[in-house]
Amino acid sequence: MHSPPTSRRVVITASVAAISMAALTSCASGTSSEATVDSITVWTGLPYDSFQKPNAANFERCEFETGITVELEDFPPADLTGKVLQAATSGDLPDLLYLEGTDLSRVAETGVLTDLAEYGISADGYSDILVEMGSYEDTLYGLAPGVNTIGMFYDKALFADSGVEIPTTFAELREVAHTLTTPDRMGVALSAGSGAGPYVFLPFLLSAGGDPSDLTAPEAAMTMSGSWLFNEADGLGIDLGVFPIPSPDGTTPPRSPIGAELWTIPVTDDAHQAAAADVLSCITSDENALIMAEESRRTPGDVSVGQEYAIAHPDEAPLTELIEGAYLRDPEVTGKQSEQIALAVQDALANGTDAADALAKAAGR
């Protein structure tokens, strides 16, 4: 069970002074800004080949450009933020940190992240929603060169062979799913687990005008997922397409939640922070951000880079177009919302409970 948001904030706030003092002590006892640093440590929470390999290649390119080598450490996503908060008290923070976007405020409020503006790094050109994600109390602490949002992925050849069109309304989506359903194939596959389930449910709720804060896999022709699915499809030889989640009547602009990790520079010492800033500027350059998007299939966070990427990958353009109006999840209530949505979806699927009743029941827990 997730603790109520207020309880979590009390615990974190109580530790802010101790963590901040440890970070400042570490900084004060560190190397002066005159020292030369030729190696930095980097922590990430995405231990997956689809990210690790292009990420390592990105740092190799920047090692050639900056002369700074990196020591990469990858941790399970659920462990990273806790490890960072522990490292802050011991003065053992990494030089560059790839932090889950919804955890930025938790870490930034302890005072262990540095203002990117101090190094001349800005979010100019990034979508407004990503500037908001990377900021805490109007200070920019993180950049998201690659992001994920949710669309409906479909088998293009199957659609063409069946003579069906891309649906734009809930009714059309049901009809297409029914048409494409066979004894061996589901028309549409949706996750109902407590992990990805709530995330992929949100586009339906948002497109119908709902508010997530007020909640009163076999073969399939369609499935809700993110851009990472293109990597899997490439390996299987499937010609995959994607379209925005339909709205009830087709007139409401599509809207999906956005997820991203943020590159941040923790408080260490002047020399290491400057070296980390040099590397960060390199790995998030337009050229390297585009290469990273090509290799990881993560949608670029920079608007102009995203436009260039969409031209080269028109099948992925619908995901790029969803970013500007995306829904930014509130980190204070994300865990509770996810649990409630998962309970409601499972109740509706397993017990046949009416959707509105399932949501109302879950919201009361």
Side-chain angles (χ1 to χ4, degrees):
M1 287 289 289
H2 294 279
S3 301
T6 52
S7 298
R8 183 178 69 180
R9 178 170 287 279
V10 168
V11 172
I12 293 171
T13 303
S15 66
V16 168
I19 293 177
S20 298
M21 184 60 70
L24 291 173
T25 301
S26 171
C27 181
S29 63
T31 310
S32 73
S33 59
E34 300 298 321
T36 299
V37 170
D38 58 11
S39 179
I40 63 171
T41 56
V42 179
W43 288 4
T44 77
L46 287 177
Y48 314 116
D49 281 350
S50 60
F51 170 77
Q52 283 184 329
K53 289 181 179 179
N55 187 50
N58 201 8
F59 278 113
E60 287 178 5
R61 288 190 295 272
C62 288
E63 178 183 348
F64 178 79
E65 181 174 325
T66 66
I68 301 170
T69 60
V70 303
E71 180 183 340
L72 278 167
E73 293 187 63
D74 296 293
F75 300 93
D79 297 346
L80 179 60
T81 298
K83 184 171 179 62
V84 170
L85 295 175
Q86 290 174 358
T89 62
S90 62
D92 193 27
L93 287 162
D95 301 307
L96 202 55
L97 171 65
Y98 201 44
L99 188 66
E100 161 60 39
T102 55
D103 285 340
L104 180 84
S105 59
R106 283 184 64 196
V107 178
E109 71 176 355
T110 67
V112 300
L113 298 181
T114 60
D115 180 355
L116 296 185
E118 294 178 3
Y119 319 106
I121 297 174
S122 75
D124 290 349
Y126 280 71
S127 168
D128 291 343
I129 198 74
L130 295 177
V131 177
E132 182 180 351
M133 179 187 285
S135 300
Y136 175 70
E137 294 186 346
D138 298 323
T139 298
L140 182 70
Y141 291 104
L143 284 183
V147 305
N148 292 313
T149 189
I150 294 294
M152 186 67 77
F153 287 73
Y154 68 102
D155 185 326
K156 293 168 68 176
L158 183 59
F159 266 51
D161 292 343
S162 302
V164 298
E165 301 291 334
I166 291 175
T168 59
T169 68
F170 283 179
E172 290 176 0
L173 179 61
R174 293 190 190 97
E175 183 179 350
V176 170
H178 178 74
T179 299
L180 297 177
T181 297
T182 70
D184 300 319
R185 181 184 64 232
M186 291 188 292
V188 60
L190 304 175
S191 173
S194 59
Y199 192 65
V200 301
F201 169 80
L202 282 175
F204 289 107
L205 182 67
L206 296 167
S207 295
D211 182 354
S213 65
D214 181 15
L215 296 177
T216 34
E219 183 182 350
M222 296 179 287
T223 187
M224 289 179 65
S225 190
S227 57
W228 59 85
L229 195 61
F230 279 108
N231 272 328
E232 299 177 21
D234 287 346
L236 296 173
I238 300 173
D239 188 11
L240 203 62
V242 62
F243 57 86
I245 306 304
S247 62
D249 61 5
T251 61
T252 305
R255 200 170 178 217
S256 288
I258 193 168
E261 287 73 31
L262 301 156
W263 284 115
T264 64
I265 301 177
V267 174
T268 52
D269 60 63
D270 289 347
H272 282 84
Q273 289 168 198
D278 286 344
V279 173
L280 177 57
S281 295
C282 178
I283 63 175
T284 58
S285 69
D286 287 358
E287 180 181 0
N288 282 323
L290 184 59
I291 294 173
M292 187 69 182
E294 296 271 0
E295 295 180 350
S296 69
R297 306 302 280 269
R298 293 168 70 86
T299 307
D302 183 283
V303 175
S304 62
V305 176
Q307 290 171 343
E308 186 174 352
Y309 183 75
I311 291 172
H313 300 274
D315 284 341
E316 299 180 45
L319 297 178
T320 303
E321 295 164 1
L322 285 170
I323 293 176
E324 189 59 45
Y327 172 74
L328 185 60
R329 295 170 293 163
D330 182 348
E332 290 297 323
V333 296
T334 292
K336 185 174 181 62
Q337 285 178 356
S338 295
E339 182 180 353
Q340 290 173 335
I341 290 172
L343 288 171
V345 171
Q346 291 166 3
D347 189 15
L349 291 176
N351 304 321
T353 305
D354 175 78
D357 292 341
L359 286 170
K361 184 164 61 173
R365 298 192 181 186

